């Protein structure tokens, strides 16, 4: 499966991530690029590619006025929003290197990252976030500018601090795209640091663009598709597949209000595509089970029959099982059970992509049986991130799929899963020793996971070479 060829921007045509945005603007300037919720007016707002481009130019003018030059690092600690995209595109277009930060990260950890990457600019969402940094402000001496999306309540004793309304010029002129090499460093993404201080993963424009393009060869994405973005953009899975990939395909991204309001947003936005870690599917499944346990026994029996028949239909559609007379019940079971459950997810989902950790086959089985294509994949921040993925036409839920186009995998010593391809990182920032320990001289990256590959080419993750804790949040 491939996306609609006429509308997709190739990595070769884009060259860089800001070049990707430039090409999208040239193709569909007045199409809706992003949608978010306006708290003041309690409604959803649309932004076209052209409107975003005008804001990018304003940010670039302000960056240039502050004396920032290509190669300087700038950090963003913001919830998913059109401002995140504008900051990123403005920086990339000037050759700046973007350092994404988790909004819930500890101030001392953020201070370490800002110093390690020698960041010059930090963008917060709220004044409350800046207030949380009171204890580490003496460690932020390298910053030349501190920005908040939220307006400043009054005079501050911090001369570097400004709201973006104060900082941005009224007009930025034309958007700048400094000519760059596809192999140039685009971003430094710091790992969680569960096994010590976080390491900065260096990803080039080519790393990310090649990965987004490979994903589009696995799953059909079209301009009519709507993504609901709630997994943090600081997470490379969301950034590549829910942001850059949507520019490549010309789709619309709607930014969820919060994880707490996700149930409402799914119904209001009615997305066609969902990108998430397993925890979200686990929560939805738990809510379904709880409701069934509290309800009448007949409804529970009907649900179980729906799952049984629905999954058998799925196996038949994949060519792994024959036709069964029970399939004749599907129109009734679909109307009574499946459609009603999927309506809680908006009723419009074509596919749900899962990554970041293993999704229980029992849980994916339920959603697949109800008619939702749950596609599990595998990757690391160090691989931009997708290395393997299931496709709608070749979906083995217990596996993480086959290597995406252009990527090779093999089993190495101690059953380690080894990865090679254009998506493999440039290395770790300021840490050549860690880079050598991760990537061999001939370009194979050791994932740290153990696995096996079956005779059909599907990859199965069997464990970790070194156990780490992956928290549900």
């Amino acid at each position: 499966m491939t996306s609609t060829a006429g509308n997709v921007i190739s990595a070769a045509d884009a060259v860089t991530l800001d070049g990707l945005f430039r090409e999208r603007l040239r193709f569909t300037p007045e199409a809706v690029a992003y949608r978010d919720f306006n708290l003041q007016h309690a409604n959803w707002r649309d932004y076209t590619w052209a409107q975003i481009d005008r804001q990018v130019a304003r940010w670039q003018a302000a960056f240039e006025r502050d004396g920032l030059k290509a190669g300087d690092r700038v950090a963003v600690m913001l919830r998913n929003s059109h401002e995140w995209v504008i900051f990123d595109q403005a920086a990339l277009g000037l050759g700046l290197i973007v350092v994404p930060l988790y909004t819930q990260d500890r101030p001392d950890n953020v201070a370490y990252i800002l110093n390690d990457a020698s960041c010059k600019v930090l963008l917060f969402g709220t004044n409350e976030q800046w207030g949380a940094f009171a204890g580490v402000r003496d460690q932020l001496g390298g910053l030349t500018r501190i920005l908040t999306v939220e307006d400043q309540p009054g005079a501050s004793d911090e001369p570097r601090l400004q709201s973006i309304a104060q900082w941005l010029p009224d007009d930025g002129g034309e958007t700048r795209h400094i000519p760059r090499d596809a192999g140039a460093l685009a971003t430094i993404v710091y790992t969680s640091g569960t096994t010590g201080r976080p390491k900065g993963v260096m990803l080039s424009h080519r790393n990310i663009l090649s990965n987004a393009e490979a994903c589009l060869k696995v799953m059909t994405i079209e301009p009519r598709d709507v993504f609901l973005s709630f997994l943090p953009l600081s997470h490379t899975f969301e950034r590549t597949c829910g942001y850059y990939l949507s520019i490549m395909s010309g789709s619309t991204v709607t930014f969820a209000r919060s994880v707490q309001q996700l149930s409402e947003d799914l119904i209001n936005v009615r997305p066609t595509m969902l990108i998430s870690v397993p925890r979200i599917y686990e929560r939805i499944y738990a809510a379904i089970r709880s409701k069934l346990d509290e309800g009448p026994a007949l409804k529970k029996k009907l649900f179980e029959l729906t799952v049984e028949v629905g999954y058998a239909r799925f196996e038949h559609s994949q060519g792994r099982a024959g036709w069964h007379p029970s399939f004749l019940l599907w129109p009734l079971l679909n109307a009574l059970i499946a459609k009603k459950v999927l309506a809680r997810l908006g009723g419009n989902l074509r596919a749900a992509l899962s990554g970041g950790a293993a999704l229980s086959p029992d849980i994916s089985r339920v959603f697949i049986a109800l008619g939702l294509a749950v596609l599990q994949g595998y990757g690391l921040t160090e691989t931009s991130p997708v290395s393997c993925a299931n496709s709608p036409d070749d979906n083995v839920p217990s596996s993480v799929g086959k290597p995406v186009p252009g990527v090779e995998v093999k089993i190495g010593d101690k059953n380690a899963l080894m990865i090679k391809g254009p998506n493999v990182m440039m290395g770790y920032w300021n840490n050549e020793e860690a880079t050598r320990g991760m990537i061999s001289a001939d370009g194979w990256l050791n994932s740290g996971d153990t696995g096996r590959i079956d005779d059909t080419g599907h990859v199965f993750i069997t464990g970790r070479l070194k156990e780490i804790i992956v928290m549900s949040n």
Side-chain angles (χ1 to χ4, degrees), residues 405-427:
V407 173
E408 299 174 71
V409 300
K410 69 177 183 179
I411 303 301
D413 292 342
K414 299 179 181 177
N415 294 321
L417 185 67
M418 311 294 288
I419 303 164
K420 189 177 187 179
N423 60 328
V424 170
M425 67 171 179
M426 301 169 72

Side-chain angles (χ1 to χ4, degrees), residues 203 207 210-211 214 377-389 400-413 415-426 428 435 437-453 459-461 463-465:
L203 299 178
N207 285 154
S210 69
N211 202 233
Y378 171 82
L380 310 158
T381 302
E382 289 87 346
T383 58
S384 306
V386 184
S387 297
C388 304
V400 293
K402 294 179 179 178
V404 297
V407 173
E408 299 174 71
V409 300
K410 69 177 183 179
I411 303 301
D413 292 342
N415 294 321
L417 185 67
M418 311 294 288
I419 303 164
K420 189 177 187 179
N423 60 328
V424 170
M425 67 171 179
M426 301 169 72
Y428 291 114
T435 302
M438 191 79 166
I439 305 174
S440 66
D442 56 353
W444 285 95
L445 179 142
N446 188 331
S447 69
D449 288 307
T450 58
R452 65 179 177 86
I453 303 171
V459 178
F460 296 79
I461 304 301
R464 287 284 300 169
L465 287 171

Side-chain angles (χ1 to χ4, degrees), residues 128-353:
E128 183 182 359
Q129 276 181 294
W130 168 239
F133 277 68
V136 296
R137 288 183 190 177
D138 60 339
Q139 300 173 41
L140 305 179
L143 293 172
T144 58
R145 180 69 66 196
I146 300 163
L147 299 166
T148 59
V149 172
E150 197 172 70
D151 289 339
Q152 293 298 313
S156 170
D157 58 356
E158 173 51 77
R160 299 171 295 175
L161 179 66
Q162 279 187 292
S163 70
I164 59 173
Q166 297 169 316
W167 181 70
L168 289 170
D170 292 335
D171 182 50
E174 292 293 315
T175 308
R176 273 72 90 202
H177 295 278
I178 292 175
R180 308 230 31 228
D181 173 13
L185 178 60
T187 185
I188 305 171
V189 184
Y190 280 79
T191 58
S192 60
T194 49
T195 55
R197 282 294 194 184
K199 297 190 290 288
V201 176
M202 297 190 292
L203 299 178
S204 69
H205 293 268
R206 181 183 291 114
N207 285 154
I208 297 172
L209 282 171
S210 69
N211 202 233
E213 188 170 61
C215 291
L216 281 177
K217 292 175 181 175
V218 174
M219 174 71 201
T220 303
I221 307 292
E222 300 176 350
R224 66 183 176 88
D225 278 311
V226 176
F227 288 76
L228 183 61
S229 174
F230 63 91
L231 191 65
L233 279 165
S234 46
H235 195 301
T236 308
F237 185 29
E238 177 68 29
R239 192 172 172 193
T240 296
C241 297
Y243 164 25
Y244 298 127
L245 183 148
S246 71
I247 302 177
M248 200 171 259
S249 62
S251 311
T252 299
V253 174
T254 300
F255 297 111
R257 290 174 292 172
S258 67
V259 172
Q260 291 72 29
Q261 294 167 293
L262 187 59
S263 297
E264 292 174 49
D265 288 351
L266 282 164
I267 292 167
N268 291 329
V269 173
R270 302 190 73 236
T272 62
M273 302 297 300
L274 199 62
I275 294 170
S276 181
V277 290
R279 184 61 181 151
I280 295 299
Y281 305 113
E282 289 164 5
R283 282 173 55 179
I284 297 168
Y285 174 74
I288 292 169
R289 295 303 316 180
S290 176
K291 198 165 184 181
L292 286 171
D293 290 342
E294 293 167 5
L298 177 61
K299 194 168 185 179
K300 191 172 183 179
K301 285 286 186 188
L302 266 176
F303 181 84
E304 289 168 353
L305 179 62
T306 303
V307 170
E308 183 182 337
V309 173
Y311 199 76
R313 290 177 75 249
F314 163 74
E315 286 291 294
H316 173 62
S317 72
Q318 295 286 314
R320 294 191 289 263
W323 186 88
H324 192 273
S326 65
F327 296 176
L328 296 171
L329 293 171
W330 183 251
L332 179 64
L333 295 173
N334 188 32
L336 289 175
I337 302 293
K339 273 190 174 180
K340 290 179 180 178
V341 173
L342 295 183
R344 294 178 60 183
L345 302 175
N348 212 22
L349 280 177
R350 294 200 301 111
L353 315 181

